[in-house]
Amino acid sequence: MSTAILTGPPVAGSPLEADLRTLGFDVRTADDAAATAELLAAVPAQERVAVVDPRFVGHLHALRLALTDPRFPAAAVPGALTAQPAARAALARAVGRIPVGAGTAHLTDVLTDTLTESLGHEEAGLHRVELGSLVATVALTPAQRADAREAVAAVDDEAVRLRTAVKSRDGFFTTYGISPYSRYLARWCARRGLTPNQVTTASLLTALIAAGCAATGTRGGFVAAGLLLLFSFVLDCTDGQLARYSLQYSTMGAWLDATFDRAKEYAYYAGLALGAARGGDDVWALALGAMVLMTCRHVVDFSFNEANHDATANTSPTAALSGRLDSVGWTVWVRRMIVLPIGERWAMIAVLTALTTPRIVFYALLIGCALAACYTTAGRVLRSLTRRARRTDRAARALADLADSGPLAELIAAGARGRGRTGSYLAPAMAFLSAAVLLVWVIFQRDPASWLTVGVAACSALLAGAAVSRPLKGALDWLVPPFFRAGEYVAILVLAARADVPGALPAAYGLVAAVAYHHYDTVYRIRGGTGAPPRWLVRATGGHEGRILVVTVLAAALSPEGFTIALTALAVVLALLVLVESIRFWVSSQAPAVHDEGEPA
């Protein structure tokens, strides 16, 4: 339960109390600051509390934004403010600072505005709501009240609420092919009491059914799979719009929305591969290649953003050129479509599934995503080389966490510490060599399942340790995690493919999926402000260099059939380990209540 305190002179006939009860508040009244302080003290500490001026006139949605959004410890619009438990102490101090006696009327005449100003000077996480065309004001005279009501009547707040439920920046297909009607589906869900998490789960189930249809290998199954995949994407857009429409943001919702997108897409790849196998076409290598490419693309996005999100003094001419291009309308959409974001990508996959074969789907996906990856990575490299910015310790820590270095790399890094210069290109060069040495060997060696490959993997680990021996603050240090991901994932793919026995590539697909989940989970924890997974989990999973060593040892020591069984067992163990810890963390997490908007690609 939440409590709203109406503090100030009452207004007869005002619908304010009814609006507050509609928003779920228990309404109490107070005559002055002292009475407000008493009521605040009486409200249980674990409850949200709002202070509202009875003379408030405005849209219900303006009140909703100010008083019910769970993402902010405190929020305010003119005439109304709220404090969640984290900001209750700051609000109590603000009320306690209100003076009494002669000459203080200007402070207590509109008490809510005085309290808002006071909270703004504290580190209480105050959010001042941007109203746009919505109205929120304190009407002190009948004339002002009449004018305010006229202004309220002139704007349809339901239309504003629907419009703002849609992300302001999205892909072309999502903006023009999905959002024009999915927003109404979001409102339909809200009016029936459905939650964003339920819609997210429905989207996952729909995609899994689509994957099952694709796995039948029949033309009818492929057509049904394409249609269901598109409907799953409609629901995927709807869950975020429902969260924004009804302000149902949650930590669990952020985790589900972020991880289910990848689970849906990668499960669908597996369904296509199974369907192709039923028709006598083995495309597991293409499916695994698509998953590796997509995951590496996302790691590039995450690493670049983490390296630069709090960097200072951005003077990159490349960024300036990008800004100028964004000012030309048609280039905005072209540039968003070039990167093949999730809407365009899923639409392409769905149409090609219905009309062609799984092999063609994967060829188109690999070519399109490879071109998109080259475009985005080249642009980010240019930005990094031409900008003059100081990277922070926080960014260096985030990159180190994204690198996913295990005990062996940590030991090597400790021995090499102090031998490189922070901010040079040594770290990305070592990371590139770490991946390149391993991949060149396993790709071009006639029989990579040998003990020589284990030795090469050990050399790769040495280079990986050297890459992370100094803080990752260089201009291109954000490339270190993507190089590590490419080395690990592609090495597993090649070793499984060269085993040349049934089941090896599906087992490798499961292993890479489990490891990729761990890497995505690391990203979402960092973005949620809670830091990376615990070190015990990283050490237990071996780190990227430890897993490569284990896989190469298994390939050298076992027969191809035994290697397949070992990959399957390793995939199951890693999946259970990372999933159990991830679920435990997100269910019990105190991370901020945010709703992940989904990845741009």
Side-chain angles (χ1 to χ4, degrees):
M1 189 65 183
S2 302
T3 300
I5 301 172
L6 292 175
T7 179
V11 177
S14 171
L16 180 59
E17 288 194 37
D19 286 346
L20 290 171
R21 291 192 174 93
T22 297
L23 297 178
F25 283 90
D26 177 28
V27 181
R28 304 183 187 183
T29 59
D31 295 330
D32 52 27
T36 300
E38 291 179 6
L39 284 177
L40 277 175
V43 175
Q46 70 274 16
E47 289 187 10
R48 173 194 292 268
V49 66
V51 180
V52 185
D53 193 299
R55 296 162 295 180
F56 173 89
V57 179
H59 287 102
L60 175 62
H61 192 49
L63 275 179
R64 181 181 291 109
L65 290 170
L67 305 185
T68 66
D69 195 327
R71 294 174 296 174
F72 309 106
V77 294
L81 75 151
T82 186
Q84 295 198 63
R88 284 281 302 276
L91 178 60
R93 289 194 298 271
V95 175
R97 285 194 294 267
I98 300 294
V100 296
T104 63
H106 67 288
L107 296 174
T108 57
D109 188 33
V110 184
L111 183 61
T112 52
D113 290 355
T114 301
L115 294 177
T116 299
E117 190 66 25
S118 181
L119 281 178
H121 295 304
E122 294 204 32
E123 293 185 2
L126 177 67
H127 171 66
R128 297 180 186 269
V129 177
E130 295 184 9
L131 292 171
S133 59
L134 296 175
V135 176
T137 187
V138 176
L140 302 179
T141 67
Q144 290 177 352
R145 178 168 292 275
D147 291 342
R149 285 177 173 170
E150 185 176 335
V152 169
V155 177
D156 183 354
D157 72 335
E158 179 60 20
V160 172
R161 190 181 180 191
L162 271 174
R163 186 176 69 250
T164 54
V166 178
K167 285 196 292 187
S168 59
R169 179 183 174 87
D170 220 328
F172 182 86
F173 177 73
T174 304
T175 299
Y176 293 105
I178 304 296
S179 293
Y181 56 87
S182 61
R183 69 185 74 184
Y184 297 101
L185 178 58
R187 181 171 67 181
W188 182 88
C189 292
R191 290 177 175 176
R192 282 152 183 81
L194 297 176
T195 67
N197 292 354
Q198 290 170 334
V199 177
T200 302
T201 303
S203 176
L204 173 66
L205 293 175
T206 304
L208 293 179
I209 295 172
C213 291
T216 63
T218 64
R219 178 52 51 195
F222 288 147
V223 171
L227 293 173
L228 286 170
L229 186 65
L230 284 176
F231 182 59
S232 174
F233 184 65
V234 171
L235 293 176
D236 185 56
C237 295
T238 301
D239 65 357
Q241 292 166 358
L242 175 58
R244 288 182 287 273
Y245 180 85
S246 57
L247 300 182
Q248 296 184 71
Y249 302 98
S250 69
T251 300
M252 178 65 75
W255 174 63
L256 292 177
D257 186 60
T259 56
F260 280 10
D261 277 354
R262 303 286 77 80
K264 288 180 284 190
E265 191 166 2
Y266 297 161
Y268 192 82
Y269 294 173
L272 283 175
L274 288 169
R278 285 179 176 272
D281 189 12
D282 187 353
V283 297
W284 274 106
L286 296 177
L288 181 50
M291 181 167 68
V292 169
L293 179 56
M294 284 306 309
T295 305
C296 289
R297 276 193 66 191
H298 287 140
V299 173
V300 168
D301 294 339
F302 298 144
S303 296
F304 178 81
N305 291 334
E306 287 302 323
N308 294 285
H309 101 285
D310 56 358
T312 57
N314 180 8
T315 57
S316 168
T318 309
L321 174 61
S322 178
R324 286 196 297 272
L325 288 175
D326 278 343
S327 66
V328 181
W330 65 271
T331 66
V332 174
W333 293 117
V334 170
R335 295 172 71 211
R336 291 186 191 178
M337 294 172 69
I338 286 175
V339 301
L340 205 64
I342 188 170
E344 277 76 358
R345 189 168 69 251
W346 281 27
M348 180 187 75
I349 293 172
V351 171
L352 291 179
T353 298
L355 301 179
T356 65
T357 65
R359 181 172 290 273
I360 293 176
V361 173
F362 285 124
Y363 280 154
L365 187 62
L366 286 166
I367 292 170
C369 289
L371 292 174
C374 290
Y375 170 77
T376 55
T377 305
R380 286 167 178 168
V381 168
L382 286 174
R383 288 192 186 200
S384 300
L385 290 174
T386 56
R387 75 187 300 173
R388 298 180 182 276
R390 173 174 293 179
R391 273 75 181 184
T392 64
D393 291 337
R394 179 207 170 278
R397 179 69 260 167
L399 290 180
D401 291 333
L402 291 173
D404 191 33
S405 299
L408 180 57
E410 284 182 335
L411 183 63
I412 297 167
R417 196 152 288 143
R419 299 184 183 180
R421 185 168 61 87
T422 299
S424 69
Y425 299 123
L426 182 62
M430 290 294 101
F432 172 78
L433 288 174
S434 172
V437 165
L438 178 66
L439 295 184
V440 168
W441 177 268
V442 298
I443 291 172
F444 294 103
Q445 187 71 10
R446 194 161 76 174
D447 181 18
S450 67
W451 291 105
L452 282 176
T453 303
V454 177
V456 173
C459 292
S460 174
L462 285 170
L463 293 168
V468 296
S469 63
R470 297 298 298 267
L472 299 176
K473 294 185 178 182
L476 296 179
D477 284 1
W478 56 270
L479 287 170
V480 169
F483 284 144
F484 287 164
R485 296 296 82 76
E488 178 182 4
Y489 296 163
V490 177
I492 294 172
L493 188 162
V494 174
L495 287 170
R498 299 289 290 275
D500 198 25
V501 294
L505 279 167
Y509 191 94
L511 176 58
V512 173
V515 175
Y517 177 87
H518 168 59
H519 291 145
Y520 279 114
D521 189 51
T522 300
V523 168
Y524 299 134
R525 294 197 198 203
I526 293 172
R527 293 170 73 183
T530 59
R535 286 305 302 171
W536 71 261
L537 178 65
V538 176
R539 293 190 178 103
T541 59
H544 69 95
E545 80 290 348
R547 288 187 295 269
I548 290 173
L549 273 173
V550 169
V551 171
T552 56
V553 167
L554 292 174
L558 302 174
S559 66
E561 293 78 10
F563 179 58
T564 299
I565 295 171
L567 281 185
T568 303
L570 186 59
V572 171
V573 170
L574 283 177
L576 288 174
L577 189 62
V578 298
L579 278 172
V580 168
E581 161 56 22
S582 177
I583 293 170
R584 181 210 63 77
F585 169 79
W586 287 104
V587 169
S588 62
S589 173
Q590 298 302 312
V594 295
H595 187 84
D596 193 284
E597 300 288 4
E599 306 311 326

